[in-house]
Amino acid sequence: MERALILRGALAGAVGGLLAFVFARIFAEPQISAAINYESGRDAAQDALDKAAGQAVPAMGPDIFSRTVQANVGIGVGMVFFGVAMGLLFAVTYTICLGRVGGVRARTLALLVAGGGLLSMYVVPFLKYPANPPAIGHEDTIRSRSVLYLTMTLAAVLLLIGAVLLGRWLQARLGTWNAALAAGAAYVVAVGIVMALLPSFGELAANVHTFGRHATETPLPLKDAQGRIVYPGFPADTLATFRIYSLLAQVILWGAIGLVFAPMAERVLTPPSAPEPARRDTAPASLR
Amino acid sequence: MSTIPNTAPTARASATPVVTSEARAFAWIFGAAIVALALYYFIGVDQGAFSVFGSDTHIHEFVHDSRHFLGFPCH
Ligand SMILES: [Zn+2]
């Protein structure tokens, strides 16, 4: 049974990843192109400034994969495999939760676990360290940024597990509704504390040293020696649109995982010895 | 009321059965988690902050757009 559930989780994840890829190909790629165009223009302006100041201009290395490959096959492979990974984690969580979370239907549990995955694997980390298009971020802070992002994600996942356990424990004395509210509030507070403790990307020592104190690494306007702006800061609309699309892609991914997995799980978990022939006669399917 | 008996799936129609009590179930769950974390690592993290293949950047460059779009720090 666990084998059936996990293979179906991987399948649901692949479907979710495929849908998220289609969405990304249509909506994210134009924003990624805009960000890369910004970067090219900014680099050209920087080179002109450096040349005027008599500094050597660094030569760019050749691309390993063309933009066409990255924007079509590359993002497709990345999204689908990420979907499979999330589908597997989803199925693992679902299988462990089965029978341990009270009187929840197999189908409902699928949506609850998918919601928890969306929240802890993406939304909570996103609130602290939102997704950035290419052309944002400094090469020398990539390690710190990755460690911080993974720390935030791990904290979001572990705290959510803790909140679920807390809710289960409180249920006996507070009832399901109040226990869920209390556990949810505890999760918000705990996540808020972690967010307050972790630094923003702009506060990393390397960034403060080079650029001064800013909240993020989003490129500021480029100025010449006289302090005149010769190239604008990163376009705010490109950034905001990219982030909203990134969030929507995750909603599509996790929504698909939950909705594709739910009926499959119910079929797996319904024992063949006890079919439900009377279902249509006793109550409409929507009430079950 | 608060707990579900650890019995066969037929015990209660509305509740869900425990299926993780066997060693075989553990092997599947553990294996799936390892595969998932490996995929997560190679798509989101490898050849950025860390790299298991040294100075190579093929994976990073190939999944580059998805890495950004999935929310991982990249550049
Ligand atoms: Zn990048």
Side-chain angles (χ1 to χ4, degrees), chain A residues 132-136, chain B residues 60 64-65 67-68 72-75:
Chain A
N132 281 328
I136 290 189
Chain B
H60 173 119
H64 172 264
D65 288 18
R67 182 172 294 191
H68 279 279
F72 294 99
C74 175
H75 275 93

mmCIF file of all heavy atoms in Angstrom, chain A residues 132-136, chain B residues 60 64-65 67-68 72-75, ligand 1:
data_model
loop_
_atom_site.group_PDB
_atom_site.id
_atom_site.type_symbol
_atom_site.label_atom_id
_atom_site.label_comp_id
_atom_site.label_asym_id
_atom_site.label_seq_id
_atom_site.Cartn_x
_atom_site.Cartn_y
_atom_site.Cartn_z
ATOM 1 N N ASN A 132 13.883 35.674 -6.645
ATOM 2 C CA ASN A 132 14.448 36.747 -7.452
ATOM 3 C C ASN A 132 14.675 36.267 -8.876
ATOM 4 O O ASN A 132 15.153 35.159 -9.084
ATOM 5 C CB ASN A 132 15.785 37.209 -6.878
ATOM 6 C CG ASN A 132 15.603 38.133 -5.704
ATOM 7 O OD1 ASN A 132 14.634 38.887 -5.640
ATOM 8 N ND2 ASN A 132 16.509 38.070 -4.753
ATOM 9 N N PRO A 133 14.351 37.117 -9.866
ATOM 10 C CA PRO A 133 14.703 36.760 -11.244
ATOM 11 C C PRO A 133 16.214 36.831 -11.419
ATOM 12 O O PRO A 133 16.913 37.354 -10.544
ATOM 13 C CB PRO A 133 13.994 37.836 -12.068
ATOM 14 C CG PRO A 133 13.858 38.998 -11.143
ATOM 15 C CD PRO A 133 13.698 38.422 -9.775
ATOM 16 N N PRO A 134 16.746 36.307 -12.531
ATOM 17 C CA PRO A 134 18.171 36.499 -12.808
ATOM 18 C C PRO A 134 18.493 37.993 -12.792
ATOM 19 O O PRO A 134 17.590 38.810 -12.931
ATOM 20 C CB PRO A 134 18.354 35.922 -14.208
ATOM 21 C CG PRO A 134 17.220 34.996 -14.393
ATOM 22 C CD PRO A 134 16.080 35.561 -13.595
ATOM 23 N N ALA A 135 19.750 38.319 -12.644
ATOM 24 C CA ALA A 135 20.221 39.708 -12.628
ATOM 25 C C ALA A 135 20.091 40.350 -11.265
ATOM 26 O O ALA A 135 20.465 41.491 -11.072
ATOM 27 C CB ALA A 135 19.515 40.585 -13.660
ATOM 28 N N ILE A 136 19.543 39.621 -10.284
ATOM 29 C CA ILE A 136 19.531 40.122 -8.909
ATOM 30 C C ILE A 136 20.363 39.165 -8.070
ATOM 31 O O ILE A 136 20.155 37.962 -8.124
ATOM 32 C CB ILE A 136 18.106 40.203 -8.338
ATOM 33 C CG1 ILE A 136 17.336 41.311 -9.036
ATOM 34 C CG2 ILE A 136 18.157 40.452 -6.847
ATOM 35 C CD1 ILE A 136 16.005 41.601 -8.405
ATOM 36 N N HIS B 60 23.646 23.497 -12.906
ATOM 37 C CA HIS B 60 23.215 24.851 -12.544
ATOM 38 C C HIS B 60 22.728 25.609 -13.781
ATOM 39 O O HIS B 60 21.643 26.201 -13.776
ATOM 40 C CB HIS B 60 24.387 25.590 -11.887
ATOM 41 C CG HIS B 60 24.131 27.041 -11.630
ATOM 42 N ND1 HIS B 60 24.155 27.592 -10.378
ATOM 43 C CD2 HIS B 60 23.847 28.057 -12.477
ATOM 44 C CE1 HIS B 60 23.885 28.877 -10.460
ATOM 45 N NE2 HIS B 60 23.695 29.192 -11.722
ATOM 46 N N HIS B 64 18.821 26.532 -14.663
ATOM 47 C CA HIS B 64 18.979 27.877 -14.118
ATOM 48 C C HIS B 64 17.659 28.636 -13.951
ATOM 49 O O HIS B 64 17.357 29.172 -12.885
ATOM 50 C CB HIS B 64 19.929 28.676 -15.030
ATOM 51 C CG HIS B 64 20.011 30.107 -14.675
ATOM 52 N ND1 HIS B 64 19.261 31.076 -15.300
ATOM 53 C CD2 HIS B 64 20.729 30.739 -13.722
ATOM 54 C CE1 HIS B 64 19.531 32.239 -14.761
ATOM 55 N NE2 HIS B 64 20.415 32.072 -13.795
ATOM 56 N N ASP B 65 16.849 28.681 -15.019
ATOM 57 C CA ASP B 65 15.616 29.470 -14.962
ATOM 58 C C ASP B 65 14.640 28.920 -13.927
ATOM 59 O O ASP B 65 13.977 29.678 -13.218
ATOM 60 C CB ASP B 65 14.948 29.501 -16.346
ATOM 61 C CG ASP B 65 15.727 30.380 -17.317
ATOM 62 O OD1 ASP B 65 16.905 30.667 -17.040
ATOM 63 O OD2 ASP B 65 15.151 30.756 -18.357
ATOM 64 N N ARG B 67 15.471 27.245 -11.281
ATOM 65 C CA ARG B 67 16.012 27.504 -9.937
ATOM 66 C C ARG B 67 15.547 28.865 -9.428
ATOM 67 O O ARG B 67 15.096 28.994 -8.297
ATOM 68 C CB ARG B 67 17.544 27.429 -9.948
ATOM 69 C CG ARG B 67 18.159 27.642 -8.578
ATOM 70 C CD ARG B 67 19.639 27.367 -8.559
ATOM 71 N NE ARG B 67 19.954 25.959 -8.804
ATOM 72 C CZ ARG B 67 21.160 25.429 -8.627
ATOM 73 N NH1 ARG B 67 22.156 26.172 -8.186
ATOM 74 N NH2 ARG B 67 21.379 24.156 -8.872
ATOM 75 N N HIS B 68 15.649 29.877 -10.275
ATOM 76 C CA HIS B 68 15.146 31.201 -9.879
ATOM 77 C C HIS B 68 13.646 31.153 -9.620
ATOM 78 O O HIS B 68 13.160 31.672 -8.614
ATOM 79 C CB HIS B 68 15.426 32.217 -10.986
ATOM 80 C CG HIS B 68 16.823 32.752 -10.978
ATOM 81 N ND1 HIS B 68 17.218 33.754 -10.127
ATOM 82 C CD2 HIS B 68 17.908 32.424 -11.706
ATOM 83 C CE1 HIS B 68 18.495 34.027 -10.336
ATOM 84 N NE2 HIS B 68 18.940 33.228 -11.294
ATOM 85 N N PHE B 72 14.750 29.563 -5.280
ATOM 86 C CA PHE B 72 16.079 29.361 -4.699
ATOM 87 C C PHE B 72 16.990 30.547 -5.029
ATOM 88 O O PHE B 72 16.902 31.117 -6.118
ATOM 89 C CB PHE B 72 16.725 28.096 -5.273
ATOM 90 C CG PHE B 72 16.028 26.831 -4.893
ATOM 91 C CD1 PHE B 72 15.153 26.219 -5.770
ATOM 92 C CD2 PHE B 72 16.231 26.256 -3.656
ATOM 93 C CE1 PHE B 72 14.496 25.043 -5.428
ATOM 94 C CE2 PHE B 72 15.581 25.082 -3.305
ATOM 95 C CZ PHE B 72 14.714 24.474 -4.196
ATOM 96 N N PRO B 73 17.895 30.907 -4.123
ATOM 97 C CA PRO B 73 18.941 31.871 -4.481
ATOM 98 C C PRO B 73 19.826 31.268 -5.566
ATOM 99 O O PRO B 73 20.115 30.071 -5.522
ATOM 100 C CB PRO B 73 19.726 32.056 -3.178
ATOM 101 C CG PRO B 73 18.832 31.557 -2.101
ATOM 102 C CD PRO B 73 18.010 30.472 -2.734
ATOM 103 N N CYS B 74 20.203 32.070 -6.564
ATOM 104 C CA CYS B 74 20.961 31.501 -7.687
ATOM 105 C C CYS B 74 22.163 32.362 -8.018
ATOM 106 O O CYS B 74 23.283 31.919 -7.978
ATOM 107 C CB CYS B 74 20.048 31.355 -8.893
ATOM 108 S SG CYS B 74 20.863 30.808 -10.389
ATOM 109 N N HIS B 75 21.931 33.623 -8.349
ATOM 110 C CA HIS B 75 23.047 34.496 -8.729
ATOM 111 C C HIS B 75 23.266 35.573 -7.676
ATOM 112 O O HIS B 75 22.326 35.991 -7.053
ATOM 113 C CB HIS B 75 22.771 35.157 -10.073
ATOM 114 C CG HIS B 75 23.163 34.280 -11.203
ATOM 115 N ND1 HIS B 75 22.271 33.426 -11.795
ATOM 116 C CD2 HIS B 75 24.331 34.095 -11.828
ATOM 117 C CE1 HIS B 75 22.880 32.773 -12.753
ATOM 118 N NE2 HIS B 75 24.133 33.137 -12.794
HETATM 119 ZN ZN ZN C 1 20.685 32.795 -11.841
#
